C-alpha cells in the first residue's frame, strides 16, 4: 500500500495549485488523484457547446506567479472551455505537475484510521493509499444532477448532462432536441445548438435574469494593458466582495430619477458583464432597489423577444435579480425569435414522464431524438458526500451533515482530522470569481500544514463549537440578504430532493472572509484541536 504525506483529490484549478504548493514549497510527498483522464476539473467535464466562463479572462486564472500570468495571453473577454483547458495545461507543464497525478481513478471511500493517524483512500480501480493529509479539491459544482423523472430509462434516444458532456462529437444536425434547465449552462448551450438542430424545445422551471456578455476579441492594446497592470489587478481582485474587478458603489438606485437611472442601466447593459449588478450599491441588498434592476431587465427581454407568449414565460419572475446565480448570455433571448424554438413553461405545464419517444407533459406529448439535461448540480456538499468519508469514531460524513453541512470556515470539519476542503460549503466559493477564492484557500491550507510540520503536530481539526458558530454566522448573514428570497435555489439546497434546506456558501464576501482566515492563522488556530 503506497503511503503519502498529502493526497489531493482532484486536478482542476484548485488541485493543481495545491499540488504545486505541497510538493514544491513544503516538500511533502504528494499525489493528486483525478477521476478524469486529464487535468481541468470543471473545464474538463463541461464540454457542452457554448461553454464559456462568466468571469473576465484576465481575472480568471492564477495570480500567484507573475511569470505564469505574463506568459499566457487571453484572446477573448470571456474565455471558452477549450481555451481554459489549454491554459491549465500550459500551467501544468510549467510546474511539471503531471508526473504526480494519477488519472482515471475515482475515490470511492476515505476512512480515518485513528490508531495510525492516517487516511486510507480507495479508488474505483481497487487502488488503496494511505496519507497523513487529505485535501479535497473536488470542486463545488461537480456532482451532476439528473432529476429523477419517471421513465428516463425507457427513452430510446441519447441523453446528456451539460456537466458530463461526452468527448465524442454529438451530431445534433436535423435532430429534435429537448433541453431541460435554464441556468448558466442552459442559457449558454441553447443559442449554440439552436443553430444546428431541426427543433429545440426548452423546458423552463424558473425564468432566469440574464445580462448580455458582449464577448469580444481582446485587442493588442487591451492585452498589453492587463499584462502591464498585473500587480494592480492581483491586488484589486482580493479587495472586492466577489473577486472581480468591480466593486459596489455607494450610490443608491433612489439617488436618481427613472431617466437618469435607466441611462446608467443602459450603459451597463450595452457593456455587458456581471458588473451590471453593481450599477448601484443597493441592487443586491434592498428589495425595492432590486425591483428597479429587475424591471429594467424585464423590459429589455420584452423588447427583444417578439412572440408575446414566450416573452411572458421568460419574464414571469418569482425571485429578485441576483438572489439566484446571475448569468450572462450571448443571444439567449434573441434565440427565441428563431422558428425552430419552442419554450415550455413547466409551472403551468409540468413534465409527467419521459417516454420511449420523448417527454410527456400535462398538456403535450413531445417526440425527441435527444435530451439535454442542463439541470445543474448537487452543489458544494454533493462532491464531498460522494467520497464516503468516515472520520474519527466511525463518524460518517453523510450522518454528520444530515441536517446541515458543518464546517469551520468551509475549510475543515469537526471529527475529520487533517482533512481539508477547497471551495467547500461554508466558504464564499460559488459566490466569487472562483480562482481568486481558490488561491486564498490553497495558501491558507499550505500555511496551516507548514505550521503543523514546523511544530511537530500530528493532527488538526476544528472544534464542534467553532463549526457551530460558523454555521450561525452564515445563517445570520444569509437571513439578512436577498438570497433567501429565491423560491428554488441551489445556494440553499432546494434543487435536490431530501437535501437540507440551509444556505450553503458563506455570503459575507471575500475580503471579510479573508480577514477572518488571516486572523485564525495569526492566532495559531485557536478554534482548532491540535495534537
Ligand atoms: P443551475 O444554475 O443549477 O441551473 C439548472 C437549471 O435546471 C435551472 O434552470 C433549474 O431550474 C433547472 N432544473 C433543475 N432541476 C430541474 C427539474 N427537476 N425539472 C426542471 N428543471 C430543473 O446549473 P447550471 O449548470 O446552469 O449552472 C451551474 C453553475 O455551473 C453556474 O453557475 C456556472 O458556474 C457553471 P430552477 O431554477 O432550479 O427552478
Amino acid at each position: 500500500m503506497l503511503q503519502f504525506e498529502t493526497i489531493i483529490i482532484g486536478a482542476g484549478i484548485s488541485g493543481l495549485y495545491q499540488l504545486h504548493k505541497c510538493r514544491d514549497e513544503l516538500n511533502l510527498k504528494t499525489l493528486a488523484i483525478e477521476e478524469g483522464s486529464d487535468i481541468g476539473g470543471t473545464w474538463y467535464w463541461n464540454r457542452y457547446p457554448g461553454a464559456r466562463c462568466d468571469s473576465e479572462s484576465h481575472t480568471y486564472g492564477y495570480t500567484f506567479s507573475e511569470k505564469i500570468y505574463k506568459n499566457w495571453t487571453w484572446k477573448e473577454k470571456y474565455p471558452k472551455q477549450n481555451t481554459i483547458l489549454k491554459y491549465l495545461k500550459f500551467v501544468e507543464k510549467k510546474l511539471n505537475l503531471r508526473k504526480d497525478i494519477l488519472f482515471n481513478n475515482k475515490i470511492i471511500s476515505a476512512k480515518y484510521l485513528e490508531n495510525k493517524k492516517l487516511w486510507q483512500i480507495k479508488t474505483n480501480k481497487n487502488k488503496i493509499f494511505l496519507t497523513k493529509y487529505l485535501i479535497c479539491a473536488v470542486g463545488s459544482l461537480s456532482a451532476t444532477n439528473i432529476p429523477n423523472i419517471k421513465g428516463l430509462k425507457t427513452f430510446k434516444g441519447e441523453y446528456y448532462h451539460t456537466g458530463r458532456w461526452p468527448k465524442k462529437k454529438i451530431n445534433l444536425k436535423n435532430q429534435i432536441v429537448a433541453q431541460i434547465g435554464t441556468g448558466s449552462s442552459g442559457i449558454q448551450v441553447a443559442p449554440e445548438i439552436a443553430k444546428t438542430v431541426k427543433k429545440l424545445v426548452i423546458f423552463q422551471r424558473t425564468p432566469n435574469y440574464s445580462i448580455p456578455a458582449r464577448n469580444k476579441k481582446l485587442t493588442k492594446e487591451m492585452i498589453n494593458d492587463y499584462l502591464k497592470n498585473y500587480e494592480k489587478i492581483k491586488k484589486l481582485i482580493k479587495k472586492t466582495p466577489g473577486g472581480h474587478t468591480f466593486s459596489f458603489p455607494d450610490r443608491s438606485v433612489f439617488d436618481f430619477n427613472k431617466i437618469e437611472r435607466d441611462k446608467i442601466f443602459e450603459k451597463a447593459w450595452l457593456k455587458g458583464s456581471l458588473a451590471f449588478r453593481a450599477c448601484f450599491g443597493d441592487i443586491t441588498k434592498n428589495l425595492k432597489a432590486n425591483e428597479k434592476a429587475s424591471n429594467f431587465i424585464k423590459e429589455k427581454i420584452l423588447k427583444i423577444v417578439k412572440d408575446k407568449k414566450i416573452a411572458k414565460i421568460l419574464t414571469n419572475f418569482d425571485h429578485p435579480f441576483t438572489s439566484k446565480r446571475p448569468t450572462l448570455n450571448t443571444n439567449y433571448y434573441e434565440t427565441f425569435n428563431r422558428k425552430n424554438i419552442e419554450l415550455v413553461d413547466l409551472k403551468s405545464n409540468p413534465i409527467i414522464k419521459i417516454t420511449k419517444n420523448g417527454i410527456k407533459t400535462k398538456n403535450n406529448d413531445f417526440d425527441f431524438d435527444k435530451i439535454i439535461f442542463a439541470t445543474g448540480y448537487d452543489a458544494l456538499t454533493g462532491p464531498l458526500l460522494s467520497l464516503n468519508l468516515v472520520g474519527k469514531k466511525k463518524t460518517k460524513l453523510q450522518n454528520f451533515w444530515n441536517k446541515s453541512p458543518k464546517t469551520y470556515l468551509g475549510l475543515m470539519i469537526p471529527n475529520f482530522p487533517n482533512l481539508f476542503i477547497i471551495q467547500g460549503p461554508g466558504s464564499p466559493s460559488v459566490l466569487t470569481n472562483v480562482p481568486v477564492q481558490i488561491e486564498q484557500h490553497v495558501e491558507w491550507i499550505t500555511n496551516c500544514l507548514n505550521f503543523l510540520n514546523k511544530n511537530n503536530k500530528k493532527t488538526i481539526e476544528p472544534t464542534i463549537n467553532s463549526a457551530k458558530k460558523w454555521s450561525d454566522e452564515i445563517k445570520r448573514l444569509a437571513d439578512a440578504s436577498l438570497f433567501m428570497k429565491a423560491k428554488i435555489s441551489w445556494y440553499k439546497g432546494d434543487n435536490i430532493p431530501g437535501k437540507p434546506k440551509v444556505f450553503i456558501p458563506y455570503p459575507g464576501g471575500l475580503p471579510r472572509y479573508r480577514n477572518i482566515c488571516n486572523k485564525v492563522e495569526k492566532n495559531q488556530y485557536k478554534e482548532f484541536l491540535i495534537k
Side-chain angles (χ1 to χ4, degrees), residues 184-201:
S184 307
S185 309
I187 281 176
Q188 286 187 340
V189 79
E192 209 46 42
I193 62 172
K195 295 178 204 160
T196 317
V197 298
K198 187 168 168 190
K199 187 170 176 192
L200 177 64
V201 182

Side-chain angles (χ1 to χ4, degrees), residues 141 147 181-185 205-206 324-325 346 374-377 488 490:
L141 299 163
T182 53
S184 307
S185 309
R205 184 163 71 181
T206 309
K324 288 165 73 110
R325 174 96 168 180
L346 292 178
T375 40
Y377 300 86
I488 308 175
W490 55 261

Side-chain angles (χ1 to χ4, degrees), residues 51 70 152 228 255 299 370 409:
K70 292 197 168 167
L152 178 58
K228 202 173 70 198
D255 294 342
E299 279 169 27
K370 295 189 163 77
L409 306 174

